Amino acid sequence: MGKPLLGLSMMAEADFVSAILPLMQNNAVDVLEWSFDTLYNVKEPDWLNDLLNFYAENNRLIGHGVYYSLFDARWTERQNVWLKKLKEEFLRRNYNHITEHFGFMNTENFHQGVPLPVSLHPKTLQIGKDRLYRLQEAVNVPVGIENLAFSFSSDDVKEQGEFLDQLIEDTDGFLILDLHNLYCQACNFEVEMQELINSYPLDKVREIHLSGGSWQKSVYGKRMVRRDTHDDLIPEEILSILPSVLAQCKNLEYVIIERLGNTIKTEAEKEGFFTDFNKVRAIIDASDLQVGKMGNWTKKEIKLPDEPLENMELFEEQSRLTKLLFDSVGPAILKGQQFHYFKTENWEPEMILTAQNIIKKWNPY
């Protein structure tokens, strides 16, 4: 028994490595989280390979997937290849657990970006469960899902916790509670942070993510839009609520601070990063929480259908929605579209424009 482990989401950029070196030399980083699929098609530098192996050999490495895309309604060769590479990665390295994002990102012609929210519909849940079964089948460690920072409507914000609870139920999975993602939702939809936190299955939280972000100017001149850009300090509102969150998450094992690799360049940025790290360390040390018992996890036997579940009607809607966002159609036009799985009539125009910005950023051509 002991306190939850404090660690970092590892980045390969030289600036990041230079910034965290003092923490590494002081043995302050208990655990590393590595997004293993970001370098699937690139050879890891030797120093990174050695560092990840060192943490893996000491049972202090956790995996975070980015590109599986849990709710794609059509199964393609891309997912087969992703799972094959995942199995190879697990033969090479010992991970304590693995996580993925809630949402979908890869439809026909769009292969980059951040996960878009899925429609909270029973058929969508079936797709998600099928993909999660296949992910769990590929590895012999617990699999968790991270809550999403972006939503189109307040209904989606309020329902996400219950949806995630149902999603991970059959695999005895767990939740990453990303507090900055919840902070984005709270700011963008004017909901209390604690109200949102209470809507999640907190007994299933094994990992917490902490990060900073940025404000995007509002097109409509209302409030600013909060974005999960991982490029700034952890907001004070998150640090102030963290002690009560720790007290509520009885099975918590890891607290991970996220920061993009090219955003800690100046001395002031490094100093701020260290200050955040030390504040979080002090909050964890001051908490009464002892690491929970999820280490007793055993893999559930699930009979997988030979063929992955597909829903071509949902796939068509996901593809059409992504293309409409990419083409920057006006919110009024998008809200007037006929969708069965997406309640576009309830969507906030501000969030539609934000999604368009995100897709354009990652798919510029």
Side-chain angles (χ1 to χ4, degrees):
M1 297 290 279
K3 301 286 185 187
L5 300 177
L6 174 59
L8 298 172
S9 175
M10 187 60 199
M11 298 286 149
E13 285 83 356
D15 287 336
F16 184 84
V17 178
S18 163
I20 70 167
L21 206 53
L23 292 173
M24 301 300 259
Q25 288 167 336
N26 292 334
N27 296 319
V29 182
D30 301 330
V31 60
L32 281 185
E33 180 166 79
W34 173 236
S35 293
F36 50 85
D37 59 356
T38 55
L39 292 187
Y40 263 178
N41 301 314
V42 182
K43 187 180 184 300
E44 285 173 3
D46 289 342
W47 65 264
L48 179 60
N49 181 54
D50 292 345
L51 181 65
L52 294 173
N53 287 345
F54 173 76
Y55 273 83
E57 286 155 12
N58 288 281
N59 294 315
R60 294 295 179 92
L61 184 67
I62 54 182
H64 192 45
V66 179
Y67 295 115
Y68 181 51
S69 193
L70 199 67
F71 285 91
D72 267 19
R74 191 179 68 160
W75 185 267
T76 66
E77 185 56 23
R78 186 190 63 75
Q79 284 116 320
N80 284 327
V81 170
W82 193 93
L83 288 174
K84 179 173 173 285
K85 288 184 174 177
L86 174 69
K87 289 177 185 174
E88 290 166 3
E89 178 70 13
F90 267 69
L91 287 173
R92 197 159 70 100
R93 250 183 221 131
N94 170 46
Y95 288 86
N96 293 4
H97 72 218
I98 174 183
T99 54
E100 244 298 344
H101 295 87
F102 182 67
F104 78 97
M105 66 160 69
N106 290 288
T107 53
E108 231 162 356
N109 299 312
F110 300 91
H111 300 292
Q112 290 292 325
V114 296
L116 287 173
V118 296
S119 45
L120 305 182
H121 187 284
K123 291 283 178 70
T124 316
L125 181 63
Q126 286 176 2
I127 292 283
K129 280 180 180 269
D130 179 85
R131 305 301 183 252
L132 190 53
Y133 296 159
R134 290 170 199 285
L135 180 50
Q136 181 63 82
E137 189 63 23
V139 295
N140 287 307
V141 296
V143 174
I145 306 298
E146 178 183 349
N147 60 301
L148 202 55
F150 182 84
S151 279
F152 285 111
S153 72
S154 57
D155 288 347
D156 287 356
V157 171
K158 289 168 185 167
E159 292 170 12
Q160 194 178 140
E162 172 62 26
F163 197 79
L164 280 165
D165 196 12
Q166 292 179 40
L167 178 67
I168 61 179
E169 188 177 31
D170 300 344
T171 51
D172 197 15
F174 67 93
L175 183 67
I176 293 185
L177 193 67
D178 188 309
L179 290 183
H180 188 263
N181 286 358
L182 285 181
Y183 179 68
C184 291
Q185 305 274 31
C187 293
N188 294 338
F189 293 94
E190 297 179 317
V191 188
E192 284 293 319
M193 271 280 282
Q194 191 59 60
E195 184 187 332
L196 278 182
I197 289 164
N198 291 343
S199 71
Y200 281 79
L202 299 180
D203 59 319
K204 294 183 179 177
V205 174
R206 182 184 172 113
E207 181 179 343
I208 281 175
H209 275 182
L210 302 170
S211 65
S214 57
W215 294 98
Q216 177 182 297
K217 197 163 185 291
S218 166
V219 182
Y220 294 99
K222 297 180 186 173
R223 61 189 180 278
M224 302 278 272
V225 174
R226 183 69 182 181
R227 293 277 303 279
D228 183 45
T229 45
H230 293 190
D231 55 2
D232 206 348
L233 301 177
I234 301 168
E236 194 53 50
E237 294 92 329
I238 291 176
L239 293 172
S240 64
I241 207 168
L242 182 57
S244 70
V245 176
L246 294 181
Q248 288 177 278
C249 297
K250 303 299 185 189
N251 291 304
L252 181 69
E253 295 191 21
Y254 307 102
V255 177
I256 301 294
I257 296 175
E258 298 180 293
R259 183 77 179 247
L260 279 183
N262 56 0
T263 66
I264 324 176
K265 295 180 176 177
T266 66
E267 283 308 311
E269 286 168 342
K270 285 183 188 177
E271 199 56 46
F273 182 74
F274 290 141
T275 301
D276 269 0
F277 189 92
N278 291 327
K279 281 181 183 173
V280 175
R281 169 67 76 198
I283 290 168
I284 292 172
D285 288 347
S287 77
D288 295 329
L289 181 64
Q290 298 291 309
V291 165
K293 300 186 178 63
M294 281 192 94
N296 300 334
W297 179 89
T298 50
K299 184 172 174 177
K300 279 191 177 180
E301 288 299 317
I302 292 174
K303 185 82 177 82
L304 269 181
D306 291 340
E307 293 300 317
L309 183 65
E310 293 189 310
N311 182 323
M312 297 317 286
E313 183 187 10
L314 177 57
F315 171 72
E316 183 279 324
E317 290 199 4
Q318 288 178 341
S319 302
R320 180 156 51 100
L321 172 63
T322 310
K323 185 165 190 327
L324 286 165
L325 292 169
F326 181 77
D327 291 342
S328 297
V329 301
I333 295 172
L334 197 144
K335 283 162 71 74
Q337 289 280 316
Q338 288 296 309
F339 284 103
H340 177 66
Y341 292 99
F342 295 99
K343 298 175 186 169
T344 52
E345 65 276 8
N346 298 336
W347 287 4
E348 295 270 344
E350 194 74 74
M351 303 315 292
I352 292 171
L353 294 170
T354 302
Q356 290 171 348
N357 290 341
I358 293 170
I359 287 180
K360 272 292 170 58
K361 177 186 172 186
W362 290 103
N363 297 277
Y365 307 112

